[in-house]
Amino acid sequence: MSTANTFHLSVASVGETHFDGRVVSVTLPGESGVFTVLSRHEPLVATLKAGTITIRLSAMPAHAGQAGDGVEKSKTLLIENGVLEVSGNRAVVLL
């Protein structure tokens, strides 16, 4: 995966790392609503509520001449609450 449109994401709780790697985007259940973080996002700190974190790992384009948007690889995590910090093309979620 090219690093041009990706950023580093870490999702961790006490004693456990749930995810640590480069991603295209992450969608999170914020206290004020669901939002998505992309590469080079402005610095941000937000509280998270119970819901689903969707981590988009990569998007492979469809082959020329074929219908569809391509294959997307993603991972989901169910959470109770947490805190997100985004800074310097890196995002950290503490659960």
Side-chain angles (χ1 to χ4, degrees):
M1 169 185 343
S2 169
T3 61
N5 293 316
T6 64
F7 62 98
H8 191 93
L9 172 67
S10 296
V11 180
S13 58
V14 175
E16 185 175 359
T17 299
H18 301 279
F19 182 86
D20 189 43
R22 297 205 68 81
V23 301
V24 174
S25 68
V26 60
T27 302
L28 306 118
E31 287 290 338
S32 298
V34 175
F35 63 97
T36 299
V37 174
L38 300 171
S39 177
R40 295 181 291 281
H41 197 286
E42 287 292 318
L44 168 74
V45 174
T47 55
L48 307 175
K49 65 179 183 178
T52 302
I53 295 176
T54 303
I55 301 166
R56 187 169 151 223
L57 302 169
S58 66
M60 298 169 34
H63 297 307
Q66 290 183 343
D69 295 328
V71 177
E72 184 174 291
K73 294 182 181 179
S74 63
K75 176 179 176 109
T76 58
L77 300 170
L78 296 176
I79 67 166
E80 293 296 320
N81 56 43
V83 176
L84 166 73
E85 178 189 11
V86 179
S87 179
N89 213 31
R90 179 177 179 88
V92 177
V93 177
L94 300 175
L95 304 175

